[in-house]
Amino acid sequence: MEDSESPRRVGDLYEQYVELDFKLSEARNRRNTIAAEMASIVKDISTGKKTPGSNASALLDEKIKRRQELVELGRSVKECVSGLEASLATLTDQLYEEARHIPNISASDVPVGDESKAEVVEMVGHVPKLEAYDHVTLCQMHGIADFDRASK
């Protein structure tokens, strides 16, 4: 692949990544919503068995039916989340692999080597002269802590 195609390919992969990440986030939110509804129904079922009356029995049957629907829906959403996570991991690997091929060329006047070779080109503004204080002094200055009372 040509060097000029690599940035374009990275851009395309990134767009796919963002779209897939959004879908994964929505699927996770859906899974969490199902789990919250399931917890509510389980609580209602456990307390509903103690409630006497014919109407309570019908409501309990509806809750049990809804719980079973949520179990099946939860399984399918869980599989969807797992698939999306696997796809996202693969896409992330592809994105980083493709990005590695984009050259990161420094300017010609940048010194080669570690930070000891670095040069200050320009200072903007001024460096403030600050006194260093320990945490005890700072707390006492700002009235945050009362060390005298705490030590009693």
Side-chain angles (χ1 to χ4, degrees), residues 29-127:
N29 286 338
R30 179 74 177 130
R31 179 188 62 194
N32 294 342
T33 302
I34 291 169
E37 186 178 349
M38 177 76 82
S40 173
I41 287 176
V42 167
K43 181 180 175 188
D44 290 348
I45 290 172
S46 66
T47 58
K49 290 181 181 176
K50 300 171 188 168
T51 308
S54 61
N55 192 25
S57 178
L59 288 173
L60 186 62
D61 290 342
E62 286 179 30
K63 298 266 183 190
I64 291 171
K65 183 179 175 185
R66 178 63 181 154
R67 181 190 171 279
Q68 189 57 38
E69 291 171 0
L70 288 174
V71 166
E72 293 170 16
L73 186 60
R75 282 188 188 126
S76 68
V77 171
K78 182 179 178 181
E79 290 173 10
C80 177
V81 167
S82 295
L84 287 171
E85 287 173 339
S87 297
L88 190 65
T90 302
L91 188 60
T92 301
D93 291 343
Q94 289 174 353
L95 178 63
Y96 282 116
E97 180 60 31
E98 200 62 40
R100 281 186 340 100
H101 298 292
I102 299 175
N104 186 9
I105 302 169
S106 299
S108 60
D109 60 341
V110 174
V112 177
D114 60 9
E115 286 191 33
S116 66
K117 306 278 193 240
E119 301 171 6
V120 176
V121 177
E122 179 181 1
M123 293 287 289
V124 178
H126 68 285
V127 179

Side-chain angles (χ1 to χ4, degrees), residues 1-2 25 28 55 77 85-86 116 142:
M1 182 179 296
E2 289 183 35
S25 178
R28 285 177 176 156
N55 192 25
V77 171
E85 287 173 339
S116 66
H142 296 287

